[in-house]
Amino acid sequence: METSSFFQIALDLINTETKKLEIFCDTLDKKPLEKRNRIAEYKCAKYRYAGATNVWCRFFHSHRVAAKNANNHYLLPDINEAFISIPEYVALYENAAEGEKQDFALYYGHIAFADSEIAKLESKLEHSTDWEKVEIEERIGGLNFAKECLNEAWQRRKDVIA
């Protein structure tokens, strides 16, 4: 399938932030003393990265193998499962123009997936210790960031279409 403006915008937005986190962590990996002094910041960056890339990888691969998954709304199985669990999203997809169905599935499927991952993590917050809580909160922050990127790309795609 052809790369849409929505897909490219979302990918660029997520890549920009994850690249910053990668550079930060890679830099500290090369400076052990500084890394030890900034270990909390380093770990938070790693957890945030893990949350954001959890969505990014699935988003990228759903697009990459879309043709093979046309019967599953162009989505990877776990994303499709999250997507079909929300009837409102499926209805929006079904009412979309044929040429926009893949974008609708990518957007709503990954929003649904991120929301389900956030809900799972939030359910663990109450019984977590201090560092576990930090890890969970940072992962949630990464997932929310990925959702913000998807939301921005979804809005900006309208500018390209118009």
Side-chain angles (χ1 to χ4, degrees), residues 75-145:
L75 299 170
L76 296 174
D78 58 339
I79 303 301
N80 191 53
E81 185 177 319
F83 175 66
I84 62 174
S85 73
I86 303 177
E88 297 84 15
Y89 290 175
V90 175
L92 289 167
Y93 166 85
E94 288 173 353
N95 291 321
E98 200 57 43
E100 294 185 321
K101 285 191 183 285
Q102 183 182 356
D103 280 350
F104 271 76
L106 277 172
Y107 174 67
Y108 289 107
H110 288 83
I111 291 292
F113 172 77
D115 285 341
S116 73
E117 291 296 300
I118 289 168
K120 288 177 198 172
L121 290 169
E122 285 176 339
S123 73
K124 297 177 182 181
L125 273 174
E126 184 179 339
H127 303 292
S128 60
T129 64
D130 289 344
W131 261 110
E132 288 171 340
K133 187 172 281 192
V134 169
E135 176 183 352
I136 291 168
E137 289 170 345
E138 289 298 326
R139 285 180 187 270
I140 290 171
L143 289 161
N144 278 322
F145 171 76

Side-chain angles (χ1 to χ4, degrees), residues 12 16 54 63 78 99 101 112 135 137 157:
D12 291 346
T16 299
N54 195 11
H63 182 269
D78 58 339
K101 285 191 183 285
E135 176 183 352
E137 289 170 345
R157 95 187 200 299

Side-chain angles (χ1 to χ4, degrees), residues 8-111:
Q8 196 57 58
I9 292 166
L11 199 62
D12 291 346
L13 289 170
I14 295 172
N15 279 342
T16 299
E17 177 68 10
T18 55
K19 195 65 169 163
K20 289 177 192 175
L21 294 169
E22 279 180 32
I23 291 168
F24 173 75
C25 292
D26 288 348
T27 300
L28 288 181
D29 283 338
K30 294 173 186 167
K31 300 175 181 179
L33 182 58
E34 186 178 350
K35 179 179 175 179
R36 188 173 41 197
N37 292 334
R38 298 176 73 182
I39 194 67
E41 193 177 355
Y42 175 86
K43 285 183 176 184
C44 287
K46 285 286 195 180
Y47 298 142
R48 182 175 172 83
Y49 179 84
T53 57
N54 195 11
V55 174
W56 177 91
C57 289
R58 285 171 170 80
F59 183 74
F60 178 81
H61 290 293
S62 283
H63 182 269
R64 187 178 65 80
V65 297
K68 293 179 184 176
N69 291 320
N71 292 333
N72 290 327
H73 307 104
Y74 307 100
L75 299 170
L76 296 174
D78 58 339
I79 303 301
N80 191 53
E81 185 177 319
F83 175 66
I84 62 174
S85 73
I86 303 177
E88 297 84 15
Y89 290 175
V90 175
L92 289 167
Y93 166 85
E94 288 173 353
N95 291 321
E98 200 57 43
E100 294 185 321
K101 285 191 183 285
Q102 183 182 356
D103 280 350
F104 271 76
L106 277 172
Y107 174 67
Y108 289 107
H110 288 83
I111 291 292

